[in-house]
Amino acid sequence: MTATSTNIRQSLGPSTMNEVAPLLKNTQKQDSCITVTVEDGTKGYEAIVNMSEEQIPMAKAARRWKTILALSQLIMLFALSLGLVYLVIHLFLPPIDLEDRALLKLPKNFEQLQALNQLLSSYMEQSYFNVMNAFIIVYIFLQTFSIPGSMWLSVLGGALFGLPVALIIVCTCSAIGATNCYLISQRFGKTFVKERFSEKLDLLASHLQNHSNHLLNYLIVLRLVPFPPNWFANIAAPHVGIPLKIFLLGTFFGVAGPSVIHVQAGLTINQMTSASDFHMFSWANVGALVLIGLGVLIPVFLKSRVQQKIKLTDESLSSTSSTDGLLSSVSSNRV
């Protein structure tokens, strides 16, 4: 996509500088000119724009103000979300004794996980759905802002709700939370993400380009492996052109494999007596994830083979048609 310097120079006039300057991705001063990359959705284009010495600081200041404003809005959104989580917990959960309130926190180890499970289990009979709703809200909050602790909550979900229910809850909350993170990054993080992770974004974009015909399968496999981390995939997705619908489905099905392992681990924590009995890593689990990944890639392989055969058939038919045409021409000339 190309733009004339005249059009952009008009857009970057002093009266509209504050509106257009946030679109500038990179600036490089060259005498009285400045090289800019103008963002257009997920694409951009470069142009040389003539700017005065006074306009260059204005453009940079407007861009800096845009970043500060986005960061302020993000902090406000986080504070409001945290307040909502606090309100939901106190509305849904019954009154908790003072000595038990210290246990109501995100677990960071096996002992804290087991203590929280015992506390919430005591309320399950009389407030089953209240506990479930509180669990869902907290899980979505963690995923939305990429806060560590979702793995422990997945294990806790297995202990509280059992395998089928917990697996559905965990996959759904992961997909909703990751989608929220996608939207937040798209709305507030464009400048920050592209400046801080430009090389990683370029690498991810090149991989996506190679797998554009089976993007959903690629995203599912991406969730099964630890690289790139899930938090980076969430914030990077809107800036490398991944459609929201495909991102949502890829996350839901992609987290299912690891979530089964985490939820299953929670089924037996009540019978464990020490942290040494708690193990989530095993070669059986690794093998299961590998099999899931291969299962996701099989349709991609089959589709590729079918497309290759169709291409070879078309080339063969084209070659045959060309040969027939040539023979006909030779026969006509002889006649």
Side-chain angles (χ1 to χ4, degrees):
M1 185 175 182
T2 305
T4 63
S5 60
T6 302
N7 293 336
I8 299 182
R9 185 163 57 250
Q10 292 174 352
S11 299
L12 292 178
S15 61
T16 58
M17 183 64 65
N18 291 334
E19 297 180 4
V20 179
L23 298 176
L24 306 183
K25 179 183 177 185
N26 296 314
T27 60
Q28 182 180 1
K29 181 180 176 184
Q30 296 178 349
D31 298 330
S32 61
C33 299
I34 185 171
T35 302
V36 302
T37 301
V38 181
E39 291 298 322
D40 179 20
T42 58
K43 300 178 181 179
Y45 55 90
E46 291 188 354
I48 303 298
V49 182
N50 294 323
M51 299 179 68
S52 66
E53 293 292 337
E54 293 78 11
Q55 287 178 319
I56 294 175
M58 290 173 59
K60 292 182 178 180
R63 184 182 173 201
R64 191 180 304 112
W65 169 247
K66 180 73 173 180
T67 302
I68 294 174
L69 181 61
L71 180 60
S72 302
Q73 293 173 333
L74 179 59
I75 293 174
M76 185 179 300
L77 178 63
F78 177 82
L80 290 175
S81 301
L82 184 61
L84 176 63
V85 171
Y86 181 84
L87 181 63
V88 166
I89 290 176
H90 283 75
L91 285 178
F92 282 109
L93 295 182
I96 300 175
D97 297 334
L98 291 176
E99 58 271 17
D100 293 333
R101 289 184 181 179
L103 303 177
L104 195 62
K105 60 182 179 181
L106 289 177
K108 298 180 181 179
N109 53 52
F110 173 78
E111 289 77 12
Q112 294 179 1
L113 175 67
Q114 199 170 42
L116 181 59
N117 175 53
Q118 292 174 355
L119 174 64
L120 295 179
S121 296
S122 64
Y123 297 109
M124 290 290 288
E125 292 185 3
Q126 56 187 15
S127 306
Y128 180 87
F129 288 104
N130 287 349
V131 173
M132 179 183 290
N133 290 331
F135 178 90
I136 290 173
I137 293 298
V138 172
Y139 203 111
I140 292 177
F141 172 75
L142 295 182
Q143 287 290 316
T144 298
F145 295 98
S146 300
I147 301 174
S150 299
M151 182 197 73
W152 291 108
L153 282 189
S154 299
V155 178
L156 178 63
L160 293 175
F161 311 115
L163 179 59
V165 175
L167 184 60
I168 294 175
I169 291 176
V170 167
C171 291
T172 303
C173 291
S174 296
I176 294 174
T179 301
N180 290 340
C181 188
Y182 175 109
L183 295 174
I184 290 174
S185 178
Q186 185 181 54
R187 175 64 180 84
F188 302 111
K190 179 183 293 185
T191 302
F192 175 80
V193 173
K194 290 187 176 183
E195 286 184 351
R196 293 293 299 271
F197 306 104
S198 59
E199 294 183 1
K200 292 182 179 180
L201 287 177
D202 292 340
L203 180 62
L204 180 59
S206 65
H207 285 292
L208 293 174
Q209 181 66 29
N210 295 333
H211 301 279
S212 58
N213 293 330
H214 42 266
L215 187 57
L216 178 60
N217 302 74
Y218 179 76
L219 290 179
I220 292 174
V221 174
L222 204 64
R223 294 294 186 179
L224 294 174
V225 297
F227 302 104
N230 283 336
W231 65 265
F232 176 74
N234 294 342
I235 66 174
H239 309 297
V240 291
I242 299 178
L244 181 60
K245 182 179 179 180
I246 293 180
F247 176 82
L248 175 64
L249 293 175
T251 301
F252 180 86
F253 292 108
V255 301
S259 296
V260 169
I261 297 174
H262 299 156
V263 171
Q264 279 185 328
L267 300 178
T268 57
I269 62 173
N270 289 325
Q271 289 75 42
M272 298 179 186
T273 57
S274 65
S276 59
D277 299 328
F278 182 71
H279 299 289
M280 280 191 295
F281 175 82
S282 68
W283 289 111
N285 292 338
V286 174
L289 293 178
V290 171
L291 290 177
I292 293 174
L294 292 176
V296 173
L297 292 176
I298 286 176
V300 176
F301 175 75
L302 294 177
K303 182 179 178 181
S304 177
R305 291 296 299 271
V306 170
Q307 290 178 341
Q308 186 177 7
K309 288 184 179 181
I310 293 175
K311 182 179 180 181
L312 291 175
T313 302
D314 292 341
E315 291 178 352
S316 177
L317 292 175
S318 177
S319 177
T320 302
S321 300
S322 299
T323 303
D324 292 342
L326 180 61
L327 292 175
S328 300
S329 176
V330 171
S331 299
S332 300
N333 292 334
R334 287 181 178 180
V335 173

